[in-house]
């Protein structure tokens, strides 16, 4: 899970850097910013799913189910 709004290095850049070194790692992005263009930036950076905060237990279950299905 990568929060997209962080001090210093933002989540989008962190995702890009992680994907450069670990191209097969699965990154779920999360943020309270729900604008579609922001979510699209997260997908472009390399995340496989975007979860809006605050999220519920069911949301986390869905993320894990998707991740297990893609491995």
């Amino acid at each position: 899970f990568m929060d997209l709004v962080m001090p210093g290095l933002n989540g989008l850049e962190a995702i890009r850097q992680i994907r450069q070194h670990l191209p097969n790692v699965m990154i779920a992005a999360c943020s309270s910013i729900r604008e579609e263009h922001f979510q699209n930036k997260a997908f472009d950076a390399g995340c496989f799913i975007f979860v809006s905060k605050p999220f519920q237990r069911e949301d986390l279950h869905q993320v894990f189910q998707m991740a297990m299905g893609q491995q």
Side-chain angles (χ1 to χ4, degrees):
F1 282 90
M2 176 66 65
D3 196 332
L4 297 181
V5 180
M6 304 183 301
L9 182 66
N10 72 54
L12 295 173
E13 185 57 33
I15 291 170
R16 287 185 197 100
Q17 289 184 19
I18 291 168
R19 299 287 291 169
Q20 280 183 332
H21 299 286
L22 301 166
N24 296 324
V25 72
M26 299 180 78
I27 301 171
C30 61
S31 180
S32 59
I33 300 172
R34 296 181 178 163
E35 297 165 6
E36 186 175 345
H37 75 277
F38 192 67
Q39 293 178 21
N40 289 338
K41 286 182 178 184
F43 288 117
D44 290 343
C47 75
F48 81 99
I49 191 170
F50 182 93
V51 182
S52 295
K53 293 192 309 187
F55 41 84
Q56 304 296 318
R57 183 178 184 175
E58 295 80 27
D59 299 324
L60 298 178
H61 187 286
Q62 179 186 10
V63 169
F64 289 118
Q65 289 295 324
M66 289 180 68
M68 296 303 292
Q70 291 185 15
Q71 288 188 356

